[in-house]
Amino acid sequence: MAARRPGRERAWAAQGSVPAALAEFLHLNPPSGRENGEEENKILFYHPNEVEKNEKIRNVGLCEAIVQFTRTFSPSKPAKSLHTQKNRQFFNEPEEHFWMVMVVRNPIIEKQSKDGKPVIEYQEEELLDKVYSSVLQQCYSMYKLFNGTFLKAVEDGGVELLKERLEKFFHRYLQTLHLQSCDLLDIFGGISFFPLDKMTYLKIQSFINRMEESLSIVKYTAFLYNDQLIWSGLEQDDMRILYKYLTTSLFPRHMEPELAGRDSPIRAEMPGNLQHYGRFLTGPLNLNDPDAKCRFPKIFVNTHDAYEELHLIVYKAMSAAVCFMIDASIQPTLDFCRRLDSVVGPQLTVLASDICEQFNINKRMSGSEKEPQFKFIYFNHMNLAEKTLCYFESKNANLIEVKRRNFNAAERKGFSLPYKRQK
């Protein structure tokens, strides 16, 4: 799920060219179709589905042949990508015998020849292997977050269940991929942390401890403000992909014009409760409706160890959002949701106001609204912290565009990607 980055898109439009786009996306399980006449059984998912059967089998066979051929030279590290004039193919084996293949069309620039005829020029060097290989890995991680592993699906209901889950998930997910906007940040898959002073951080920690004590069935909690993470009880790899989902999918879908501070419209869902701004982003829409459905998305974490299945409850007040995760064996009731709303809503509203006030003070002191003199990408491997000023919003659209020539040159020469690393 690549986030839209306006500079890249404006640049492509200005050049009158065609940006990178998804051509094909497929999942394979080669052992399922080893016998003659059973080649189609290797295909677990194929996009676009309109491709005729024989062409699907031919393309799958080609992908399998490429992987097997490269194994003769590097048995432990088969092919990761294949470059052609028109396309770039990316291969990933996230689980043994389960392959994912993504085919991306190379960007095109239309030029005029000396005689005035249009000439198509394929920008073969515009796509960086590390970037789109990371995007392919993110596709698997996002699937696993909401569906568990491929192997677990096969164990639970056979290959047909896996096919159903792949179709249901990727039919929607592939529509959210903005491949023309992918860049170095997709390699890191980092988390943007919200800067806080010690006292405000302790207030948040105290709030989380009180909530976990009051709502005893809560297993894990995460706290975000302004789409930036402040605290999480999840493992880093699980929080990394959950953060990606929250900031690129869930939060944008529920974005509303909200005023900072206490000037936002106050909502009081239940009679007798303290007035507050809280609302569910997942779960019941109207707590006053006795027939409201308490359905929450399920997520899978610690899949390499305990394999935990959890309900994801996301509750927001102003710019503060808190994620409560409870065991999937426990079905939240409407009474529980009302209790959560009455307990969390007022306290989260006050806390969000305090954070907003502190944030505005820090912003005035730092003068962060000024256009930065330098642009950088920072990534910390230890805590996955990521920060960049490459996409600083400016009236001049050209200042948003990241200069990619140096990155492309470094990639071709095999240099390390430039970023500041915390020791």
Side-chain angles (χ1 to χ4, degrees), residues 5-21 105-110 121-127 132 179-182 401 404:
R5 292 175 185 132
R8 297 290 317 282
E9 294 176 357
R10 291 194 190 108
W12 282 115
Q15 293 175 7
S17 50
V18 181
R105 294 192 186 95
N106 287 327
I108 298 173
I109 291 181
E110 296 183 3
E121 181 178 306
Y122 292 94
Q123 303 295 296
E124 300 176 47
E125 301 302 323
E126 272 293 312
L127 304 184
Y132 289 91
L179 297 181
Q180 72 276 17
S181 302
C182 296
E401 170 67 7
R404 296 173 55 85

Side-chain angles (χ1 to χ4, degrees), residues 359-372 392:
F359 173 72
N360 289 332
I361 292 174
N362 293 339
K363 190 162 70 169
R364 285 195 300 269
M365 293 177 62
S366 63
S368 57
E369 292 184 354
K370 296 179 181 179
E371 185 178 315
F392 185 86

